Amino acid sequence: MKRVLSGVKPTGKMTLGNYLGSFRNFSKFQDENDVFIFVADLHALTLPIDSKLLHSTTYDIISFYLASGLDPKKTTLFRQSDVYEVSVLDTILINYIYMGELSRMIQFKEKSKAMNQSKVGVGLFTYPVLMACDIFLYDTDLVPVGEDQNQHVELAHDIARRFNSRYKGEYIKLPTSYTPKVGKRIMSLSDPLHKMSKSDDPNQSKGVIYLQDDEKTIRKKIMSAVTDSDSIVKYDPVNKPGISNLLTIYSAFKNIEISQAEHEFNNSNYGTFKKAVADACLEELLPFKAKFEEYRKNEAYLNEIFASGAKKASKVAQPVLERIMKVVGLR
Ligand code: TYM
């Protein structure tokens, strides 16, 4: 049985990218693996965030987890900040990672570039260290994430290897990432050369489908997605990034290969194709959103899940932290 672990940051409205790259992929692991899924609330602090928004989005994320089919009887669902061990491990392991390694992280480069350089928080720089600690603390084998997080999982793998070789033993489990075959990188509908991202301004962005958007808005955003001037539905991310992105979205929702989707729309015009993409998307998202609304109303139930998840997660985390403290000489 493998330990599978992943998390999502509660930083505002979740997108279709988050859904296809992560939420949707978690529940399939829970029957045959030991699955740990958490709300990465400490990571949400790495960029300035309103405290009320952080608090309420934490409840949104746990509701999305439940709506996606995660069953608290099978999966340990918890809140990152409830397990204090992660912060102790972070304080230890921050000394085993090099500045050069962290400076090379694409996410750091992109996020910090967009900011006033004198106001880039240290936590944004050390983000991958805390993420590695999340992974190590639960002896994780497999980490399901979207493509943009692969680099962080690879770094965690390198850190684990280095630590084990320094202390000559298998003290930290080596993790591997899992990305879905179709949907690991969903692009913006209005600017398909860029990733669909929740940090885009929700009031302005036509390119981002938010999971909380209503049916009409979702349809409108898909129907007005940027395409190109010919009329062939073909997967070619370099020359036809818009159409390729829509093909990816369609194939992901239909659980088919992209080539099969291409074949299906061989003779279709873009209007017909876009309508089919919107239908496929809504067929799955509408019931998902309805379940979300039900769970989201019941904060008492969500608090119970957090409380029991924290207990289960701490039970696994404590001995792992003890093991690492002992190895480095703190115990
Ligand atoms: P976050 O909240 O930024 O992203 C959550 C997940 O959504 C995926 N994702 C996408 N997938 C496909 N297309 C997109 N456009 C898209 N945008 C986002 C991300 O890859 C991610 O899987 N660092 C993590 C949170 C975290 C974590 C961990 C994950 C903290 N500790 C330990 C795994 C293990 C993150 O990026 O969250």
Side-chain angles (χ1 to χ4, degrees), residues 267-279:
N267 295 314
S268 306
N269 62 32
Y270 284 176
T272 312
F273 171 54
K274 282 177 167 177
K275 182 174 177 302
V277 176
D279 289 344

Side-chain angles (χ1 to χ4, degrees), residues 60-87:
D60 291 350
I61 306 277
I62 187 85
S63 308
F64 281 130
Y65 287 157
L66 294 165
S68 74
L70 285 170
D71 175 354
K73 289 198 198 77
K74 297 181 185 165
T75 291
T76 303
L77 290 169
F78 66 106
R79 181 163 48 191
Q80 185 185 30
S81 66
D82 276 333
V83 185
Y84 290 1
E85 281 78 3
V86 80
S87 300

Side-chain angles (χ1 to χ4, degrees), residues 40-304:
D41 56 349
L42 291 171
H43 273 111
L45 293 171
T46 56
L47 287 175
I49 182 167
D50 176 78
S51 52
K52 284 202 185 82
L53 181 69
L54 168 55
H55 191 261
S56 76
T57 319
T58 296
Y59 287 88
D60 291 350
I61 306 277
I62 187 85
S63 308
F64 281 130
Y65 287 157
L66 294 165
S68 74
L70 285 170
D71 175 354
K73 289 198 198 77
K74 297 181 185 165
T75 291
T76 303
L77 290 169
F78 66 106
R79 181 163 48 191
Q80 185 185 30
S81 66
D82 276 333
V83 185
Y84 290 1
E85 281 78 3
V86 80
S87 300
V88 179
L89 188 58
D90 190 49
T91 308
I92 298 172
L93 288 187
I94 204 155
N95 302 297
Y96 293 76
I97 297 169
Y98 307 135
M99 304 268 287
E101 286 172 319
L102 293 177
S103 325
R104 282 194 290 278
M105 293 295 112
I106 295 165
Q107 179 179 289
F108 174 71
K109 286 201 263 188
E110 283 178 359
K111 297 228 153 118
S112 59
K113 200 166 74 186
M115 296 168 71
N116 175 344
Q117 288 306 299
S118 62
K119 299 216 165 129
V120 176
V122 176
L124 186 66
F125 187 60
T126 60
Y127 181 115
V129 184
L130 181 58
M131 182 161 161
C133 292
D134 292 325
I135 297 171
F136 299 158
L137 197 58
Y138 303 96
D139 278 337
T140 305
D141 297 292
L142 202 64
V143 187
V145 280
E147 190 180 61
D148 61 332
Q149 294 301 309
N150 263 343
Q151 196 188 27
H152 291 162
V153 181
E154 279 162 19
L155 178 65
H157 185 278
D158 291 348
I159 300 163
R161 247 204 350 231
R162 187 189 305 149
F163 186 94
N164 289 343
S165 114
R166 173 159 168 189
Y167 292 102
K168 300 191 172 47
E170 297 299 308
Y171 299 110
I172 297 180
K173 187 96 127 327
L174 301 186
T176 328
S177 61
Y178 162 93
T179 46
K181 197 160 163 230
V182 182
K184 59 180 184 280
R185 189 172 175 82
I186 301 298
M187 310 307 275
S188 160
L189 298 178
S190 57
D191 178 8
L193 293 174
H194 288 99
K195 195 184 74 169
M196 186 181 281
S197 166
K198 61 188 166 193
S199 40
D200 292 348
D201 180 354
N203 300 320
Q204 285 183 23
S205 188
K206 289 193 239 103
V208 182
I209 292 182
Y210 296 101
L211 297 180
Q212 276 122 316
D213 282 346
D214 60 22
E215 176 172 355
K216 203 170 143 209
T217 310
I218 294 179
R219 250 182 219 288
K220 198 165 151 210
K221 285 180 179 174
I222 293 177
M223 294 310 289
S224 47
V226 166
T227 52
D228 49 56
S229 54
D230 59 41
S231 58
I232 305 157
V233 179
K234 187 164 159 278
Y235 188 75
D236 177 353
V238 175
N239 299 307
K240 299 169 76 71
I243 287 293
S244 303
N245 190 36
L246 291 173
L247 272 168
T248 301
I249 295 171
Y250 182 82
S251 313
F253 276 116
K254 291 286 185 181
N255 297 308
I256 57 173
E257 302 276 335
I258 291 180
S259 56
Q260 204 180 325
E262 271 179 329
H263 187 71
E264 229 177 275
F265 297 101
N266 228 341
N267 295 314
S268 306
N269 62 32
Y270 284 176
T272 312
F273 171 54
K274 282 177 167 177
K275 182 174 177 302
V277 176
D279 289 344
C281 179
L282 288 162
E283 191 182 321
E284 185 168 321
L285 281 190
L286 291 181
F288 170 74
K289 280 151 55 67
K291 280 187 213 149
F292 163 81
E293 297 296 346
E294 277 308 302
Y295 287 119
R296 185 64 185 85
K297 278 188 227 154
N298 194 348
E299 285 200 8
Y301 175 61
L302 302 176
N303 282 329
E304 271 171 37

